Amino acid sequence: MSIQWYPGHMHKARKQMLELLPRIDVLVEILDARVPHSSQNPVIAEACTHLPVIKLLSKDDLADPAMTQAWQTHFEQQDNTRTLAVDLRMPGKLKSLIPELVRKLAPTKAEQNRTINVLVAGIPNVGKSTFINTMAGRPAAKTGNEPAVTKAQQQINLEDGVILFDSPGMLWPKLEHNNTGFRLAATSAIKNTVIDFEDLGLYLADYLLPNYPEGLKERYGLKSLPKDSLGLISAVCQRRGGMKANEVDYYKGGEILVSDFRAARLGRITLETPEVIAQELLEVEQARALKAERDAEKEAKKALKKAGKRHT
Ligand SMILES: Nc1nc2c(ncn2[C@@H]2O[C@H](COP(=O)(O)OP(=O)(O)OP(=O)(O)O)[C@@H](O)[C@H]2O)c(=O)[nH]1
Ligand SMILES: [Mg+2]
């Protein structure tokens, strides 16, 4: 199964972002620390290559700390890129650090005491509006634990000569690797109504069994773990009310597992590593090359057929 979600308002948001870009000095790209690569929107990355970027890894409180460190090291190898891993709901270091970092990344404007315009962008539900509110110190933007809460651009003036532009969460028209769709669905970037929780539950079970066994054992009171994903979902159903007429309800079991993951009841978990992503990018490249080859063959056949017709 492949998950896709690209409603019309995201297309509109993309257009609005492109219109705003000439005024922007710094990009704050918010990524979900549980899926730091899968939550990077290639459309935003491509449009903003000319801008210095602060990658904020949000929901740090839910992610595996060792993996977050690995991802920060990975991202900081890129030019003009700083990273911070944070719980965006907590003002803590954010309130002083962000204006300071922004000024460092836009030194000319900072020296001339001119206003610095910052675009806050990212996929749905990643914490853009929460970040704006934390920085503003008041509930200036609407937030909510579901994707597509913000529908239009909004700007907030901070006292330090920095303007933050909030924007609607954006995905892109095609999620090329199936795992990207699963990871975005698991972390609530995709609307629940387009998710098949049976498939998503099995995907998550497959990943968690070898990578985070202790959290599963503890949450579901298991002395040893089942050998595969079907076995895990079955155990979840038996222990957490997912049986229907004495049969395992895999859809319900998937919903329970996903909900426990989302609330960090299985521990702090990250769903991807830089190494796994490097492998998946290769797979995407190979799939693209294969498709290009097939398309070329089809075109060649069509051309041959046309030429044949002309000669008869
Ligand atoms: N645990 C945790 N929750 C967070 C964090 N940041 C945001 N949230 C929660 O995530 C949910 C989504 O936050 P929003 O700020 O509305 O996300 P958004 O990116 O503006 O979402 P859209 O406008 O729908 O694109 C809310 O329930 C927030 O409370 C964080 O760092 N940790
Ligand atoms: Mg929002």
Side-chain angles (χ1 to χ4, degrees), residues 161-174:
V162 173
I163 298 182
L164 299 178
F165 289 84
D166 191 9
S167 60
M170 271 197 306
L171 289 167
W172 53 104
K174 187 170 173 7

Side-chain angles (χ1 to χ4, degrees), residues 104-290:
K104 266 195 196 145
L105 291 170
T108 315
K109 276 203 165 177
E111 274 159 28
Q112 296 168 350
N113 271 334
R114 288 165 60 204
T115 305
I116 304 176
N117 295 322
V118 178
L119 172 65
V120 180
I123 64 167
N125 204 32
V126 80
K128 298 173 295 298
S129 302
T130 304
F131 169 68
I132 300 258
N133 290 344
T134 295
M135 293 304 298
R138 64 190 162 90
K142 192 175 164 207
T143 64
N145 196 12
E146 56 180 321
V149 169
T150 304
K151 297 274 195 240
Q153 274 176 2
Q154 185 181 354
Q155 78 179 62
I156 311 289
N157 293 27
L158 301 184
E159 284 152 18
D160 330 60
V162 173
I163 298 182
L164 299 178
F165 289 84
D166 191 9
S167 60
M170 271 197 306
L171 289 167
W172 53 104
K174 187 170 173 7
L175 306 176
E176 284 195 284
H177 200 290
N178 278 355
N179 289 351
T180 311
F182 282 131
R183 294 186 188 115
L184 294 180
T187 51
S188 309
I190 285 175
K191 223 182 159 102
N192 278 342
T193 47
V194 304
I195 298 174
D196 179 333
F197 280 92
E198 180 171 342
D199 281 355
L200 181 58
L202 291 172
Y203 168 83
L204 203 55
D206 264 331
Y207 180 79
L208 297 176
L209 276 168
N211 292 299
Y212 293 97
E214 293 313 315
L216 292 172
K217 281 190 197 158
E218 204 170 302
R219 174 72 186 155
Y220 303 117
L222 301 166
K223 283 209 176 70
S224 61
L225 284 175
K227 65 178 188 336
D228 59 19
S229 52
L230 286 170
L232 178 63
I233 298 292
S234 167
V236 168
C237 286
Q238 282 160 17
R239 273 142 214 272
R240 293 281 159 189
M243 304 294 284
K244 207 157 126 194
N246 266 346
E247 296 269 333
V248 172
D249 180 344
Y250 286 95
Y251 196 94
K252 181 80 195 149
E255 279 182 326
I256 296 169
L257 184 68
V258 171
S259 149
D260 283 343
F261 160 75
R262 286 175 176 172
R265 287 189 285 263
L266 307 172
R268 292 173 70 175
I269 290 172
T270 298
L271 294 180
E272 59 195 20
T273 65
E275 294 73 29
V276 164
I277 292 300
Q279 175 57 33
E280 289 180 7
L281 289 174
L282 267 180
E283 288 166 17
V284 167
E285 276 306 313
Q286 283 162 356
R288 271 192 210 148
L290 195 68

